[in-house]
Amino acid sequence: MDGLVNRLRSLDAYPKINEDFYSRTLSGGVITIASSIVMLLLFVSELRLYLHAVTETKLVVDTSRGETLHINFDVTFPALPCSILSLDAMDISGEQHLDVKHDIIKKRLDVHGNVIESRQEGIGAPKIEKPLQRHGGRLEHNETYCGSCYGAESADDDCCNSCEDVREAYTKKGWGLSNPDLIDQCKREGFVQRIKDEEGEGCNIYGFLEVNKVAGNFHFAPGKSFHQAGFHVHDLLAFQKDSYNISHKINRLAFGEYFPGVVNPLDGVHWTLEMPNGMYQYFIKVVPTVYTDVSGHTIQSNQFSVTEHFRSAEVGGRIQSLPPGVFFFYDLSPIKVTFAEEHVSFLHFLTNVCAIVGGLFTVSGILDSFVYHGQRAIKKKMELGKFS
């Protein structure tokens, strides 16, 4: 048994020195305190890295198909009334959403930005349930009311029971409604009067769009939109105005859900119109993004970059046909970014702590030895009178 103990004792890589042979110095004490402080700071730093998750970033090719793009927006137009403001969306696949009304809220604002009214509907005056007339004659007993479409009927039994119905019929025909005062439905609903009453007001429009995940655009513009001879046109005749102030502030614009660390570059952007008319354009590059937190929960979202451009309706003293409005043109990147949160393993943490302790202990020992032997050499030379 004694032989086994002696053999184990001979394997000791850390031979102990009797305290009688230790020589403690002032420089050694200073170096010990300094190295201990540095060691503590590095340990705390390593502990924070271990307790907090780190994010690993990867770039992969986006192979997803058949998905949709969720667009959240909140835009304020301080000088454009809600009655004339519409939202359209279209993409390169040919799908169009004109005068979007679902999932959209409009707030009427006064000149000071205070909310007057909040509503969820399209532009123009509200519908009235009781229409005015039957096509070409009086109503017979038990007949239902059926308003005229003023030549825009697709069939003989089509009815336009409100000003909005007449405008829709005109839009399908590709016509502009030049004088709403001549339309009985519009006159009864006070369409023109409502536009005049809202003169000088602003509008805050917010909500979301669900569109195909392909390149496209959505835009805020005055007037109802329709297609004529292959062009996207907005009917502005009904509003009887010469110019439209498209000054705007983007309170929020996001393509997808929020995830930690996301930065939406257009949030809080404000632009003021200095020309009488024009089109403001945002060209957006959308980057698909997947974020996975430490619990394994995955968020499918997007980041984006943007450039801006203003096209004035007046170029070189000539007026060009340009629809006023704020247009957002977006395209998708073929590269997907993935963020994955993960914790550092305990073994990795333990390895780093040992490296910190051992490395600092060794470096401080070398430094102490250098200082100690340097002091002895200088002292010896001073004793011999050779130090100058």
Side-chain angles (χ1 to χ4, degrees), residues 276-330:
N277 260 328
M279 174 194 294
Y280 204 84
Q281 300 169 316
Y282 294 95
F283 298 93
I284 298 172
K285 177 66 75 172
V286 180
V287 182
T289 304
V290 179
Y291 186 89
T292 305
D293 59 21
V294 288
S295 62
H297 176 64
T298 299
I299 300 175
Q300 300 281 348
S301 188
N302 301 276
Q303 303 176 87
F304 67 91
S305 61
V306 61
T307 56
E308 307 172 25
H309 179 65
F310 175 70
R311 293 180 60 189
S312 175
E314 184 176 345
V315 179
R318 299 174 58 188
I319 302 298
Q320 57 179 340
S321 178
L322 198 66
V326 180
F327 288 69
F328 297 85
F329 299 90
Y330 57 87

Coordinates of all heavy atoms in Angstrom, one line a residue, residues 276-330:
P276 N -46.8 71.6 -57.1 CA -48.3 71.5 -57.1 C -48.8 70.1 -57.3 O -49.9 69.8 -56.8 CB -48.7 72.5 -58.2 CG -47.5 72.6 -59.1 CD -46.3 72.4 -58.2
N277 N -48.1 69.3 -58.0 CA -48.6 67.9 -58.3 C -47.4 67.1 -58.5 O -46.3 67.5 -58.9 CB -49.5 67.9 -59.6 CG -50.9 67.8 -59.2 OD1 -51.3 67.3 -58.2 ND2 -51.8 68.4 -60.0
G278 N -47.5 65.8 -58.4 CA -46.4 64.9 -58.6 C -46.7 63.5 -58.1 O -47.7 63.2 -57.4
M279 N -45.8 62.6 -58.3 CA -45.8 61.2 -57.9 C -44.6 60.9 -57.1 O -43.5 61.1 -57.5 CB -45.9 60.2 -59.1 CG -45.8 58.8 -58.7 SD -45.5 57.7 -60.1 CE -47.0 57.9 -61.1
Y280 N -44.8 60.4 -55.8 CA -43.6 60.1 -55.0 C -43.5 58.6 -55.0 O -44.5 57.8 -54.8 CB -43.8 60.6 -53.6 CG -42.5 60.7 -52.9 CD1 -41.7 61.9 -53.0 CD2 -41.9 59.7 -52.1 CE1 -40.5 62.0 -52.4 CE2 -40.7 59.9 -51.4 CZ -40.0 61.0 -51.6 OH -38.8 61.2 -51.0
Q281 N -42.3 58.1 -55.3 CA -42.1 56.6 -55.5 C -41.0 56.1 -54.5 O -40.0 56.7 -54.3 CB -41.6 56.4 -56.9 CG -42.6 56.8 -58.0 CD -42.0 56.7 -59.4 OE1 -40.8 57.2 -59.6 NE2 -42.7 56.2 -60.3
Y282 N -41.4 55.0 -53.9 CA -40.4 54.2 -53.1 C -40.1 52.9 -53.8 O -41.1 52.1 -54.1 CB -41.0 53.9 -51.7 CG -41.2 55.2 -50.9 CD1 -42.5 55.8 -50.9 CD2 -40.2 55.7 -50.1 CE1 -42.7 57.0 -50.1 CE2 -40.4 56.9 -49.3 CZ -41.6 57.5 -49.3 OH -41.8 58.6 -48.6
F283 N -38.9 52.6 -54.1 CA -38.5 51.3 -54.7 C -37.8 50.5 -53.6 O -36.8 50.8 -53.0 CB -37.5 51.6 -55.8 CG -38.1 52.4 -56.9 CD1 -37.9 53.8 -57.0 CD2 -38.8 51.8 -57.9 CE1 -38.5 54.5 -58.0 CE2 -39.3 52.5 -59.0 CZ -39.2 53.9 -59.0
I284 N -38.5 49.4 -53.3 CA -38.2 48.6 -52.1 C -37.7 47.2 -52.5 O -38.3 46.5 -53.4 CB -39.4 48.4 -51.2 CG1 -39.9 49.8 -50.7 CG2 -39.2 47.5 -50.1 CD1 -41.2 49.7 -50.0
K285 N -36.6 46.8 -51.9 CA -36.1 45.4 -52.1 C -36.3 44.6 -50.8 O -35.8 44.9 -49.8 CB -34.6 45.4 -52.4 CG -33.9 44.1 -52.6 CD -34.5 43.3 -53.8 CE -33.9 43.8 -55.0 NZ -34.2 43.0 -56.2
V286 N -37.2 43.6 -51.0 CA -37.6 42.8 -49.8 C -36.8 41.6 -49.7 O -36.6 40.9 -50.7 CB -39.1 42.4 -49.9 CG1 -39.6 41.6 -48.7 CG2 -40.0 43.7 -50.1
V287 N -36.2 41.4 -48.5 CA -35.4 40.2 -48.2 C -36.1 39.3 -47.3 O -36.3 39.6 -46.1 CB -34.0 40.6 -47.6 CG1 -33.1 39.4 -47.4 CG2 -33.3 41.7 -48.5
P288 N -36.5 38.1 -47.7 CA -37.1 37.1 -46.8 C -36.2 36.8 -45.7 O -35.0 36.6 -45.8 CB -37.4 35.9 -47.7 CG -37.4 36.4 -49.1 CD -36.4 37.6 -49.1
T289 N -36.8 36.7 -44.5 CA -36.0 36.5 -43.2 C -36.8 35.5 -42.4 O -38.0 35.6 -42.2 CB -35.9 37.8 -42.5 OG1 -35.2 38.8 -43.4 CG2 -35.0 37.6 -41.3
V290 N -36.0 34.6 -41.8 CA -36.5 33.6 -40.8 C -35.8 33.8 -39.5 O -34.5 33.8 -39.5 CB -36.4 32.2 -41.3 CG1 -36.9 31.2 -40.3 CG2 -37.1 32.0 -42.7
Y291 N -36.5 34.0 -38.4 CA -35.9 34.2 -37.1 C -36.4 33.1 -36.2 O -37.6 32.8 -36.0 CB -36.3 35.5 -36.5 CG -35.7 35.9 -35.2 CD1 -34.5 36.6 -35.3 CD2 -36.2 35.5 -34.0 CE1 -33.8 36.9 -34.1 CE2 -35.6 35.9 -32.8 CZ -34.4 36.6 -32.9 OH -33.7 36.9 -31.7
T292 N -35.4 32.4 -35.6 CA -35.7 31.3 -34.6 C -35.1 31.6 -33.3 O -33.9 31.9 -33.2 CB -35.2 30.0 -35.1 OG1 -35.6 29.7 -36.5 CG2 -35.6 28.8 -34.2
D293 N -36.0 31.7 -32.2 CA -35.4 32.0 -30.9 C -35.0 30.8 -30.2 O -35.0 29.7 -30.7 CB -36.5 32.8 -30.1 CG -37.8 31.9 -29.9 OD1 -37.7 30.7 -30.0 OD2 -38.8 32.5 -29.6
V294 N -34.5 31.0 -29.0 CA -33.9 29.8 -28.2 C -34.9 28.7 -27.9 O -34.5 27.6 -27.7 CB -33.2 30.4 -26.9 CG1 -32.0 31.2 -27.2 CG2 -34.2 31.2 -26.1
S295 N -36.1 29.1 -27.8 CA -37.2 28.1 -27.5 C -37.6 27.3 -28.8 O -38.4 26.4 -28.6 CB -38.4 28.8 -26.9 OG -39.0 29.7 -27.8
G296 N -37.1 27.7 -29.9 CA -37.4 27.0 -31.2 C -38.6 27.6 -31.9 O -39.0 27.1 -33.0
H297 N -39.1 28.7 -31.4 CA -40.2 29.4 -32.1 C -39.7 30.1 -33.3 O -38.8 30.9 -33.2 CB -40.9 30.3 -31.2 CG -42.0 31.1 -31.8 ND1 -43.2 30.6 -32.3 CD2 -42.1 32.5 -32.1 CE1 -43.9 31.5 -32.9 NE2 -43.3 32.7 -32.7
T298 N -40.3 29.9 -34.5 CA -39.8 30.5 -35.7 C -40.8 31.5 -36.2 O -42.0 31.4 -36.2 CB -39.7 29.4 -36.8 OG1 -38.8 28.4 -36.4 CG2 -39.3 29.9 -38.1
I299 N -40.2 32.7 -36.7 CA -41.0 33.8 -37.2 C -40.6 34.0 -38.7 O -39.4 34.2 -39.0 CB -40.7 35.1 -36.4 CG1 -41.1 34.9 -35.0 CG2 -41.5 36.2 -37.1 CD1 -40.8 36.1 -34.1
Q300 N -41.6 33.8 -39.6 CA -41.3 34.1 -41.0 C -41.6 35.5 -41.3 O -42.8 36.0 -41.2 CB -42.3 33.2 -41.8 CG -42.1 31.7 -41.6 CD -40.8 31.1 -42.4 OE1 -40.3 31.8 -43.2 NE2 -40.5 29.9 -42.1
S301 N -40.6 36.3 -41.7 CA -40.8 37.7 -41.9 C -40.0 38.2 -43.0 O -39.5 37.4 -43.8 CB -40.5 38.5 -40.6 OG -40.9 39.8 -40.7
N302 N -39.7 39.5 -43.1 CA -38.9 40.1 -44.1 C -38.2 41.4 -43.6 O -38.7 42.0 -42.7 CB -39.8 40.5 -45.3 CG -40.6 39.3 -45.9 OD1 -40.0 38.6 -46.7 ND2 -41.8 39.2 -45.5
Q303 N -37.1 41.6 -44.2 CA -36.4 42.9 -44.1 C -36.5 43.6 -45.4 O -36.8 43.0 -46.4 CB -35.0 42.7 -43.6 CG -34.8 42.0 -42.3 CD -33.4 41.7 -42.0 OE1 -32.7 42.6 -41.3 NE2 -32.8 40.6 -42.4
F304 N -36.1 44.9 -45.5 CA -36.1 45.6 -46.8 C -35.2 46.8 -46.8 O -34.9 47.4 -45.7 CB -37.5 46.0 -47.2 CG -38.2 47.1 -46.4 CD1 -38.0 48.4 -46.7 CD2 -38.9 46.8 -45.2 CE1 -38.6 49.4 -46.0 CE2 -39.5 47.8 -44.5 CZ -39.4 49.1 -44.9
S305 N -34.7 47.1 -47.9 CA -34.0 48.3 -48.2 C -34.8 49.2 -49.2 O -35.7 48.6 -49.9 CB -32.6 48.1 -48.7 OG -32.7 47.4 -50.0
V306 N -34.5 50.5 -49.2 CA -35.4 51.3 -50.0 C -34.6 52.5 -50.7 O -33.6 53.0 -50.1 CB -36.6 51.9 -49.2 CG1 -36.0 52.7 -48.0 CG2 -37.6 52.7 -50.0
T307 N -35.1 52.9 -51.8 CA -34.6 54.1 -52.5 C -35.8 55.0 -52.8 O -36.9 54.4 -53.0 CB -33.8 53.9 -53.7 OG1 -34.5 53.1 -54.6 CG2 -32.5 53.2 -53.4
E308 N -35.7 56.3 -52.9 CA -36.8 57.2 -53.1 C -36.6 58.0 -54.3 O -35.5 58.3 -54.7 CB -37.0 58.1 -51.9 CG -37.1 57.3 -50.6 CD -37.1 58.3 -49.4 OE1 -37.5 59.4 -49.5 OE2 -36.6 57.9 -48.3
H309 N -37.8 58.4 -54.9 CA -37.7 59.2 -56.1 C -39.0 60.0 -56.3 O -40.1 59.5 -56.1 CB -37.5 58.4 -57.4 CG -37.4 59.2 -58.6 ND1 -36.4 60.1 -58.9 CD2 -38.2 59.2 -59.7 CE1 -36.6 60.7 -60.1 NE2 -37.7 60.2 -60.6
F310 N -38.9 61.3 -56.6 CA -40.1 62.1 -56.8 C -40.2 62.5 -58.3 O -39.2 63.0 -58.9 CB -40.1 63.4 -56.0 CG -41.2 64.3 -56.3 CD1 -42.5 64.0 -55.9 CD2 -41.0 65.5 -56.9 CE1 -43.6 64.9 -56.2 CE2 -42.0 66.4 -57.2 CZ -43.3 66.1 -56.8
R311 N -41.3 62.3 -58.9 CA -41.6 62.7 -60.3 C -42.6 63.8 -60.3 O -43.7 63.7 -59.9 CB -42.1 61.5 -61.1 CG -41.1 60.4 -61.3 CD -41.7 59.2 -62.1 NE -42.1 59.7 -63.4 CZ -42.9 59.0 -64.3 NH1 -43.3 57.8 -63.9 NH2 -43.2 59.5 -65.5
S312 N -42.1 65.0 -60.8 CA -43.0 66.1 -60.9 C -43.9 66.1 -62.1 O -43.4 65.6 -63.2 CB -42.2 67.4 -60.9 OG -43.0 68.5 -61.1
A313 N -45.1 66.6 -62.0 CA -46.0 66.6 -63.1 C -45.6 67.6 -64.2 O -46.0 67.6 -65.3 CB -47.4 66.9 -62.7
E314 N -44.7 68.6 -63.7 CA -44.2 69.6 -64.6 C -42.8 69.4 -64.9 O -41.9 69.5 -64.0 CB -44.5 71.0 -64.0 CG -44.1 72.1 -64.9 CD -44.4 73.5 -64.3 OE1 -45.2 73.5 -63.3 OE2 -43.9 74.5 -64.8
V315 N -42.4 69.1 -66.1 CA -41.0 68.9 -66.5 C -40.7 69.9 -67.7 O -41.3 69.8 -68.8 CB -40.8 67.4 -67.0 CG1 -39.4 67.2 -67.4 CG2 -41.2 66.5 -65.8
G316 N -39.7 70.7 -67.5 CA -39.3 71.7 -68.5 C -40.4 72.6 -69.0 O -40.5 73.0 -70.2
G317 N -41.3 73.0 -68.0 CA -42.4 73.9 -68.4 C -43.6 73.2 -69.0 O -44.6 73.8 -69.3
R318 N -43.5 71.9 -69.2 CA -44.6 71.1 -69.8 C -45.2 70.3 -68.8 O -44.6 69.7 -67.9 CB -44.1 70.3 -71.0 CG -43.4 71.1 -72.1 CD -42.8 70.1 -73.1 NE -43.8 69.2 -73.7 CZ -43.5 68.2 -74.5 NH1 -42.3 68.0 -74.8 NH2 -44.5 67.4 -74.9
I319 N -46.6 70.2 -68.8 CA -47.3 69.3 -67.9 C -47.5 67.9 -68.5 O -48.0 67.8 -69.6 CB -48.7 70.0 -67.6 CG1 -48.5 71.4 -67.0 CG2 -49.4 69.1 -66.6 CD1 -47.8 71.4 -65.7
Q320 N -47.0 66.9 -67.8 CA -47.2 65.6 -68.3 C -48.3 64.9 -67.5 O -48.6 65.2 -66.3 CB -45.9 64.8 -68.1 CG -45.3 64.7 -66.7 CD -44.0 63.9 -66.7 OE1 -43.8 63.1 -67.5 NE2 -43.3 64.1 -65.6
S321 N -48.9 63.9 -68.1 CA -50.0 63.2 -67.5 C -49.4 62.2 -66.5 O -48.8 61.2 -66.9 CB -50.8 62.4 -68.6 OG -51.8 61.6 -68.0
L322 N -49.6 62.6 -65.2 CA -49.0 61.8 -64.2 C -49.9 61.7 -63.0 O -50.3 62.7 -62.5 CB -47.7 62.5 -63.7 CG -46.7 61.6 -62.9 CD1 -46.1 60.5 -63.8 CD2 -45.5 62.5 -62.4
P323 N -50.3 60.5 -62.6 CA -51.3 60.4 -61.5 C -50.6 60.8 -60.2 O -49.6 60.3 -59.8 CB -51.7 58.9 -61.5 CG -50.5 58.2 -62.1 CD -50.0 59.2 -63.2
P324 N -51.2 61.7 -59.5 CA -50.6 62.1 -58.1 C -50.8 61.0 -57.2 O -51.9 60.3 -57.2 CB -51.4 63.3 -57.8 CG -52.7 63.2 -58.4 CD -52.5 62.5 -59.7
G325 N -49.9 60.8 -56.3 CA -50.0 59.7 -55.3 C -48.7 59.3 -54.7 O -47.6 59.8 -55.2
V326 N -48.7 58.3 -53.8 CA -47.5 57.8 -53.2 C -47.5 56.3 -53.6 O -48.4 55.5 -53.2 CB -47.5 58.0 -51.7 CG1 -46.3 57.4 -51.0 CG2 -47.6 59.4 -51.3
F327 N -46.4 55.9 -54.3 CA -46.3 54.6 -54.8 C -45.2 53.8 -54.2 O -44.1 54.3 -54.0 CB -46.1 54.6 -56.4 CG -47.3 55.1 -57.1 CD1 -47.8 56.4 -57.1 CD2 -48.0 54.2 -58.0 CE1 -48.9 56.8 -57.8 CE2 -49.1 54.6 -58.7 CZ -49.5 55.9 -58.6
F328 N -45.5 52.6 -53.8 CA -44.5 51.7 -53.2 C -44.3 50.5 -54.2 O -45.2 49.6 -54.3 CB -44.9 51.2 -51.9 CG -45.1 52.2 -50.8 CD1 -46.3 52.9 -50.7 CD2 -44.1 52.5 -50.0 CE1 -46.4 53.9 -49.8 CE2 -44.2 53.5 -49.0 CZ -45.4 54.2 -48.9
F329 N -43.1 50.5 -54.9 CA -42.8 49.4 -55.8 C -41.9 48.4 -55.0 O -40.8 48.8 -54.6 CB -42.1 49.9 -57.0 CG -43.0 50.8 -57.9 CD1 -43.0 52.2 -57.6 CD2 -43.8 50.3 -58.8 CE1 -43.7 53.1 -58.4 CE2 -44.6 51.2 -59.6 CZ -44.6 52.6 -59.3
Y330 N -42.3 47.2 -54.9 CA -41.4 46.2 -54.2 C -41.0 45.0 -55.1 O -41.8 44.6 -56.0 CB -42.2 45.7 -53.0 CG -43.5 45.1 -53.2 CD1 -43.6 43.7 -53.5 CD2 -44.7 45.8 -53.2 CE1 -44.8 43.1 -53.8 CE2 -45.9 45.2 -53.4 CZ -46.0 43.9 -53.7 OH -47.2 43.3 -54.0

